[in-house]
Amino acid sequence: MRAVCGLDVHKDTVYLCILCETGEIFENVYGVLTCELKNMCREMRRREVTEVTMESTATYWIPIWRVLEPHFRLKLVNPYFIKQLPGRKSDVKDAQWIAECTLKDLVRGSFVPPERIQQLRQYDRRIFDLDAEIVRKLAKLDGIMQRCNVTRCLTLCESRCLSQGV
């Protein structure tokens, strides 16, 4: 008996729907704190879920992915593709619709790199952000120095030093 799960991920909540081939449906709402995600994981394991599909909502899916990855086959689906399929339900039924699409093999998951690559990408983004911040601070410092006429003084001092051979 195959059991699949659809997750509708939001900033503060995760809507869960477990569908079995027998037609049994289990729905619940969980928070996004780690302890709540672990409770959700335990419930899914208790109900013998094998596959989990979730929408890639901003970055809210990342902590959920990390908690569930060791236990289930996961699919991350672009919400655009879920919305394009006929039969879309209201917001409350999104998780059920995602589970239904998974059970019928109507969706294909996006590529999610291994955790090590994700970490390296995160470091790279952080370095990029820090470099951009340094450039902003230097530009701000340069503006302040120009308003205070410090750069002109420095330029004159530098030229005197150069002419004196210092």
Side-chain angles (χ1 to χ4, degrees):
M1 176 179 76
R2 183 174 171 215
V4 298
C5 177
L7 298 177
D8 188 24
V9 179
H10 297 274
K11 183 178 181 179
D12 299 324
T13 54
V14 179
Y15 293 91
L16 169 133
C17 178
I18 299 173
L19 284 180
C20 297
E21 285 180 324
T22 60
E24 180 186 346
I25 297 175
F26 173 79
E27 293 179 320
N28 204 353
V29 179
Y30 293 91
V32 293
L33 299 176
T34 303
C35 60
E36 296 167 313
L37 295 176
K38 287 182 179 181
N39 287 338
M40 180 178 73
C41 181
R42 275 193 288 276
E43 182 65 35
M44 290 166 38
R45 291 178 74 191
R46 190 176 72 73
R47 294 183 179 272
E48 299 177 352
V49 170
T50 55
E51 262 182 272
V52 179
T53 302
M54 66 181 90
E55 287 184 345
S56 58
T57 309
T59 57
Y60 305 137
W61 63 273
I62 296 171
I64 298 163
W65 184 277
R66 289 194 178 133
V67 169
L68 300 179
E69 189 175 27
H71 308 286
F72 307 101
R73 277 194 328 266
L74 300 177
K75 284 184 186 177
L76 185 66
V77 179
N78 187 330
Y80 174 80
F81 297 121
I82 293 281
K83 291 174 184 168
Q84 297 303 311
L85 296 171
R88 173 125 165 104
K89 309 290 191 267
S90 67
D91 275 349
V92 179
K93 296 290 184 179
D94 278 351
Q96 185 177 358
W97 177 240
I98 294 168
E100 215 172 293
C101 291
T102 304
L103 191 61
K104 295 176 181 177
D105 292 322
L106 295 175
V107 291
R108 198 175 57 216
S110 301
F111 172 72
V112 177
E115 188 173 341
R116 184 73 178 142
I117 300 299
Q118 289 180 41
Q119 288 174 345
L120 290 172
R121 285 180 174 181
Q122 196 171 5
Y123 293 144
D124 187 51
R125 285 185 199 106
R126 182 65 179 138
I127 289 169
F128 180 82
D129 290 345
L130 289 172
D131 285 344
E133 191 174 327
I134 289 170
V135 169
R136 280 192 304 274
K137 299 290 184 188
L138 287 173
K140 193 172 187 177
L141 180 62
D142 184 54
I144 291 169
M145 291 178 72
Q146 285 180 11
R147 280 193 299 277
C148 295
N149 205 19
V150 173
T151 55
R152 185 170 291 153
C153 292
L154 286 178
T155 307
L156 289 172
C157 289
E158 288 169 355
S159 62
R160 284 187 186 141
C161 289
L162 288 173
S163 65
Q164 293 174 0
V166 178

